[in-house]
Amino acid sequence: MQRRTLLACSFAMSPLAARSSQAQSYPSRPVRLLVGFPPGGGVDLTARPLAQRLSERLGQQLVVENRGGAGGNIAMDAVAKSPADGYTLLVGNVGMLALNPALYRDLPFDTVTSFAPIAQIVAVPLAVAVPADLPAHSLAEFVALAKSRPGQLNMGSGGNGGIPHLAFELLKRRTGIDVQHVPYRGSAPALQDLIGGRVQLMVDGYNLMRGAAEAGRIRVIATTGQQRLPALPDVPTVDESVAPDFEAVGWQGILAPAGTPEAILAQLEAAIEAVLREGDLPRVLLDQGQLPTFLPRAPFADLVRRDRDQWTRVVRDAGVTLD
């Protein structure tokens, strides 16, 4: 009887033992890091230096894989349906995780229950930029120009319903300007049309705009956080310029499929914390106009839930649709 009991216990514990063994050997092969937007966009520009440094720390390559489309939903769906073994991860942002549930009907996943948050990696105040040849050297001058040409100026964004779009809609309401929103299939093509002067305004992450700004092809005239960006100390905030108490800040973080073993999640969380606190990655992110912001699993999960509730109310109150 004792032998049978021990044997039964052995079989009952075997799945747990298998998960423990898997976690101890993790990672034993390359890890995919899915980005829900085309190469060259703000999320992609965060993912690549992070992947490089995590590869060095974990001893296995993290391969960035761009799965653009549907506001990041294609990448999220792929990760949600992947094996929960730590070998497929997601770079998620506030638009994907907090806004999309309010914008898309019948999503095949739930942004809270289908994923296991691992860590927040950055907070992302946005930059407000215009073409270099536009006669507006400050946000106040742009507002004046827009009011003198109602309905004639355009703002390009990476798509309907994202944080850049909602930040722009909030700016319109606070300043009373009539500027048309032009959504693109990703931020990178919108930036190209800003450089070419086909749109006259863009609101997005500074990491996307940095190269064009430093080359003098566009002009950053404001940022959307409450504090000035360390990378742009001479550029005032919207709050300082034209709209007191204005704030619109995004974030990005790393997630795994729900059900991923706790030991693997903890290992990834520790590795992310280490690369965000050590070496050159914090400076790389600061130079891109992002704020390295580590939040561990539980607080990051709370942030996802809280922002999903908050931005759902904003989307519905503003009547934002994807049509």
Side-chain angles (χ1 to χ4, degrees):
M1 179 66 70
Q2 183 179 16
R3 181 175 179 276
R4 290 178 180 174
T5 301
L6 290 173
L7 189 60
C9 289
S10 174
F11 279 116
M13 292 175 63
S14 61
L16 178 61
R19 288 195 296 271
S20 176
S21 175
Q22 178 191 40
Q24 288 173 5
S25 63
Y26 176 85
S28 60
R29 53 186 169 87
V31 177
R32 295 190 304 156
L33 189 61
L34 267 63
V35 170
F37 303 94
V43 178
D44 182 74
L45 291 172
T46 304
R48 292 186 182 275
L50 176 72
Q52 177 185 344
R53 288 149 183 85
L54 284 177
S55 296
E56 296 167 358
R57 188 155 196 100
L58 294 171
Q60 286 287 345
Q61 187 177 11
L62 269 76
V63 180
V64 175
E65 183 177 319
N66 297 89
R67 293 277 191 96
N73 288 336
I74 292 174
M76 283 195 288
D77 189 41
V79 173
K81 293 175 179 176
S82 294
D85 56 9
Y87 289 96
T88 303
L89 306 176
L90 175 73
V91 186
N93 67 6
V94 63
M96 296 163 63
L97 295 159
L99 293 176
N100 284 6
L103 294 167
Y104 293 87
R105 296 181 180 179
D106 303 321
L107 289 175
F109 52 82
D110 184 279
T111 60
V112 169
T113 61
S114 298
F115 303 97
I118 298 171
Q120 180 186 354
I121 51 177
V122 291
V124 191
L126 305 175
V128 182
V130 298
D133 59 356
L134 193 77
H137 290 77
S138 69
L139 185 55
E141 289 182 1
F142 179 85
V143 169
L145 178 66
K147 288 185 175 180
S148 72
R149 299 168 58 185
Q152 298 178 37
L153 303 183
N154 298 310
M155 178 272 189
S157 82
N160 277 322
I163 286 291
H165 177 200
L166 291 181
F168 163 69
E169 293 293 341
L170 184 59
L171 180 64
K172 283 176 60 177
R173 286 172 173 75
R174 292 294 305 275
T175 59
I177 59 175
D178 179 9
V179 175
Q180 303 303 309
H181 175 228
V182 181
Y184 288 76
R185 293 176 61 88
S187 297
L191 176 61
Q192 291 306 308
D193 271 7
L194 181 74
I195 292 170
R198 287 175 287 278
V199 297
Q200 291 74 45
L201 185 73
M202 191 169 177
V203 182
D204 214 306
Y206 180 61
N207 61 349
L208 171 78
M209 302 178 179
R210 179 185 173 189
E214 291 180 347
R217 304 175 74 185
I218 64 171
R219 182 185 307 117
V220 178
I221 57 175
T223 57
T224 65
Q226 285 286 297
Q227 304 295 327
R228 294 191 181 192
L229 282 178
L232 297 167
D234 297 327
V235 176
T237 65
V238 176
D239 169 88
E240 293 177 81
S241 304
V242 297
D245 300 321
F246 184 100
E247 183 176 24
V249 177
W251 45 257
Q252 296 174 26
I254 306 299
L255 304 96
T260 300
E262 286 292 311
I264 290 177
L265 297 176
Q267 183 178 349
L268 288 167
E269 178 189 290
I272 292 167
E273 181 178 17
V275 299
L276 284 174
R277 299 194 190 282
E278 304 168 6
D280 65 337
L281 183 60
R283 175 51 54 190
V284 169
L285 296 173
L286 283 169
D287 287 347
Q288 290 183 354
Q290 303 185 93
L291 305 178
T293 307
F294 173 77
L295 272 184
R297 284 177 287 162
F300 182 38
D302 290 341
L303 174 66
V304 173
R305 286 190 291 267
R306 184 172 65 250
D307 273 17
R308 188 171 81 162
D309 292 343
Q310 170 186 312
W311 285 107
T312 293
R313 290 192 296 270
V314 171
V315 167
R316 290 173 178 168
D317 290 347
V320 175
T321 69
L322 298 181
D323 297 332

